[in-house]
Amino acid sequence: IKQWPHIVGPKLSTVTSPLKIRNDSLFVMTKHAVYSQELSFLSEEIKKEIFKIFPKLKPVVQKLVFQTQEGYFNEQRMQEMQEVPVKPK
């Protein structure tokens, strides 16, 4: 979701990523369990921000589920590094 940095902020958007909606839950991947725990305390505020940008999700998403998957963020970072062109000296 391109709007994710606007929902959770630029810093948290680098260590979290919305994954899927299943039943009444939005699953969010996090880089570390500490982020999952911290975001669980902020889930109501995060849902409010989601619903501001995506009001049609209000009846769909009732809860947020945070899952830690550090490997995803490592892979994503590697892909970003490969996409950056290297300038010759």
Side-chain angles (χ1 to χ4, degrees):
I1 297 177
K2 292 180 182 180
Q3 298 295 329
W4 191 243
H6 300 289
I7 294 169
V8 296
K11 290 182 181 180
L12 283 175
S13 70
T14 63
V15 292
T16 62
S17 180
L19 178 62
K20 63 185 172 187
I21 296 174
R22 181 179 289 165
N23 299 324
D24 65 347
S25 301
L26 171 62
F27 287 79
V28 178
M29 284 192 297
T30 66
K31 186 173 182 174
H32 194 276
V34 172
Y35 294 116
S36 294
Q37 183 178 17
E38 187 66 29
L39 289 171
S40 69
F41 297 128
L42 300 171
S43 62
E44 289 303 313
E45 289 85 359
I46 294 169
K47 286 193 312 186
K48 285 178 188 175
E49 292 301 315
I50 291 170
F51 301 150
K52 280 183 192 176
I53 297 172
F54 303 103
K56 291 183 180 182
L57 289 179
K58 192 168 186 172
V60 178
V61 175
Q62 301 299 312
K63 59 186 172 183
L64 303 178
V65 177
F66 300 99
Q67 298 178 329
T68 302
Q69 202 164 28
E70 188 174 344
Y72 170 81
F73 294 94
N74 293 339
E75 287 176 22
Q76 185 177 6
R77 181 71 181 133
M78 291 298 290
Q79 287 177 351
E80 289 171 359
M81 290 173 63
Q82 290 173 354
E83 292 173 3
V84 176
V86 178
K87 293 181 181 178
K89 292 183 179 182

